[in-house]
């Protein structure tokens, strides 16, 4: 039972990181492109490291234990690149404004568009779509974090840290348009936080 509670707690930490991203927006109204690019670059690097340093060797060991006579290492290598290909295809097919991995053109500065009302409506829609997309995106991450922590708490802690860092810029992507459209810090922070809670739902399931 303690193992289950620990795994749930680690998943909660990972999911709550989107709220940290939302909080960053509240304290720093002007977010430069360099800041956003750096946050996304850091999150991508951490996820790649955790995949290659922990998840990849673990997958090889699992496959070899089930079918020692098969080409386990080759199978895992192929599966790794097939997964990368699928994610690349998904990112290519999903429009940029609905894609949680695309956060360009996001700013809290006043723009020069003629219709401020229309701009706010468009930004509010963007924030809601981003929150929904990220919630769906985080659901399987919650399953992976929970299972990883349940099987090996040390590995689960590493996965939690990687996903938490990965989730911070996603929280930023949700909070910026929501805050700009509604002028409500509470709504921006709540939307960013709730988008990460789908990880906990995945863990409970």
């Amino acid at each position: 039972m303690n193992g289950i509670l620990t795994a749930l707690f680690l998943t909660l930490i990972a999911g709550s990181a989107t709220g940290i991203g939302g909080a960053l927006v509240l304290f720093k109204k002007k977010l430069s492109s360099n800041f956003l690019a750096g946050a996304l670059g850091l999150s991508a690097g951490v996820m790649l490291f955790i995949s290659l340093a922990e998840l990849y060797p673990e997958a090889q060991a699992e496959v070899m234990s089930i079918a020692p006579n098969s080409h386990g290492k080759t199978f895992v290598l192929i599966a790794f690149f097939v997964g990368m290909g699928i994610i690349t295809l998904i990112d290519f097919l999903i429009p940029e404004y609905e894609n949680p991995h695309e956060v360009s053109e996001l700013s809290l500065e006043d723009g020069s568009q003629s219709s401020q009302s229309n701009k706010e409506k468009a930004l509010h829609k963007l924030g809601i779509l981003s929150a929904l997309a990220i919630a769906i995106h985080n659901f399987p991450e919650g399953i992976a974090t929970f299972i990883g922590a349940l099987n090996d708490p040390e590995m689960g802690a590493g996965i939690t840290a990687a996903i938490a860092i990965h989730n911070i810029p996603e929280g930023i992507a949700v909070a910026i348009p929501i805050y700009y459209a509604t002028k409500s810090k509470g709504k921006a922070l709540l939307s960013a936080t709730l988008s990460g809670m789908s990880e906990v739902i995945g863990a409970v399931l």
Side-chain angles (χ1 to χ4, degrees), residues 2-167:
N2 288 338
I4 293 176
L5 292 177
T6 299
L8 280 173
F9 179 68
L10 289 174
T11 307
L12 177 63
I13 291 175
S16 299
T18 56
I20 296 175
L24 286 176
V25 172
L26 305 185
F27 291 109
K28 189 175 182 181
K29 291 185 178 182
K30 182 179 179 181
L31 296 175
S32 67
S33 298
N34 288 337
F35 176 84
L36 294 173
L40 286 174
L42 176 63
S43 69
V46 170
M47 292 298 287
L48 280 173
F49 173 78
I50 209 72
S51 296
L52 293 172
E54 294 195 22
L55 299 181
Y56 189 85
E58 185 78 11
Q60 283 186 326
E62 288 289 334
V63 172
M64 294 298 290
S65 67
I66 296 172
N69 295 325
S70 67
H71 299 288
K73 292 184 178 181
T74 302
F75 175 79
V76 174
L77 180 64
I78 293 173
F80 182 80
F81 283 104
V82 168
M84 289 177 64
I86 292 173
I87 293 299
T88 301
L89 180 62
I90 291 173
D91 274 348
F92 178 76
L93 294 176
I94 297 178
E96 288 189 7
Y97 61 87
E98 295 180 7
N99 193 333
H101 293 147
E102 297 285 350
V103 293
S104 58
E105 304 301 327
L106 293 180
S107 174
L108 293 182
E109 295 180 287
D110 289 334
S112 58
Q113 292 186 10
S114 58
S115 177
Q116 186 68 17
S117 176
N118 289 339
K119 183 179 181 180
E120 289 177 356
K121 289 179 181 178
L123 282 170
H124 189 261
K125 180 181 179 181
L126 169 64
I128 297 299
L129 287 173
S130 296
L132 180 60
I134 288 172
I136 296 171
H137 166 85
N138 285 343
F139 183 80
E141 286 184 356
I143 297 174
T145 304
F146 178 79
I147 293 176
L150 196 61
N151 290 333
D152 184 350
E154 186 175 345
M155 182 179 75
I159 296 173
T160 298
I163 290 180
I165 294 173
H166 171 75
N167 281 347

